[in-house]
Amino acid sequence: MTKRALLVIDMLNDFIEPEGSLSVGRAGEEIIGPIAREIRRFRGAGEPVIFICDHHLAADPEFSMFPVHCVKGTRGAEVIDALKPGEEDLVIPKRRYSAFFGTDLDLCLRELGVEELVLVGVCTNICVLYTACDARMRNYRVTVLEAGVASFDEEAHRFALTQMKNVLGVKVE
Ligand code: ZN
């Protein structure tokens, strides 16, 4: 059996709380339960859980496209209380859409001997999609849990799931 890791992407206050500066809204709240269950499963099986966290500079170039969000050191950049990382979990900050870009995620996965990733979190069409893309370019097997991903844009959410399945060879289940 290949070794797996669960990547919990951007389940942060600014994205998930209703008053967050870039809130996904109801769709974001609905995935909390399924993600919590998946985290319990992975921890119970001794499989790694890795939190991927948007972590921007105060004047990050990304804010020319999106409202200010997840600035490092602010409450908005923290994982929501319902899914707090445990001591055994890894927390990897990122400044771009892909969890691989400019981070030590690939190194961590290699050290753990991980070959297969299970992705949950937000947004399906942004950080989940580009992380799935970079993972597939590096030959990781990727599964996206449909009940565990969401976007503020339902049409883009659907497009991203189809694109990941048909073009990136991601298993959507
Ligand atoms: Zn961001």
Side-chain angles (χ1 to χ4, degrees):
M1 210 176 108
T2 60
K3 190 165 178 191
R4 306 187 308 162
L6 178 67
L7 299 194
V8 181
I9 299 172
D10 284 348
M11 290 302 286
L12 311 174
N13 290 322
D14 269 346
F15 290 117
I16 303 302
E17 285 193 326
E19 67 276 18
S21 65
L22 203 47
S23 179
V24 170
R26 247 198 105 61
E29 291 171 59
E30 283 168 358
I31 64 175
I32 296 172
I35 292 177
R37 278 194 290 282
E38 206 58 30
I39 290 174
R40 277 198 298 277
R41 271 193 209 118
F42 270 74
R43 285 182 185 147
E47 295 178 298
V49 176
I50 304 176
F51 287 82
I52 306 296
C53 302
D54 230 11
H55 192 78
H56 290 298
L57 302 178
D60 201 288
E62 194 177 297
F63 301 154
S64 64
M65 291 182 67
F66 293 102
V68 174
H69 62 277
C70 302
V71 173
K72 64 177 179 179
T74 65
R75 196 180 165 281
E78 290 172 15
V79 175
I80 58 169
D81 288 340
L83 301 176
K84 278 290 175 226
E87 275 191 15
E88 69 281 25
D89 301 332
L90 287 174
V91 178
I92 295 185
K94 66 172 174 63
R95 289 186 50 212
R96 293 291 187 263
Y97 301 156
S98 167
F100 286 91
F101 190 91
T103 73
D104 68 353
L105 175 61
D106 194 50
L107 179 61
C108 290
L109 294 172
R110 286 165 190 277
E111 286 171 343
L112 291 166
V114 168
E115 295 170 359
E116 183 173 357
L117 305 178
V118 177
L119 307 189
V120 292
V122 295
C123 291
T124 321
N125 56 307
I126 309 177
C127 294
V128 175
L129 173 62
Y130 294 107
T131 296
C133 176
D134 270 354
R136 293 294 299 136
M137 297 304 111
R138 288 167 172 78
N139 286 336
Y140 290 100
R141 289 206 238 162
V142 176
T143 297
V144 170
L145 300 183
E146 191 167 353
V149 293
S151 175
F152 51 89
D153 182 336
E154 173 64 20
E155 196 182 323
H157 164 84
R158 302 250 49 105
F159 166 80
L161 288 175
T162 305
Q163 186 80 355
M164 288 191 277
K165 190 168 162 222
N166 293 347
V167 179
L168 293 176
V170 166
K171 196 156 93 177
V172 177
E173 63 174 43

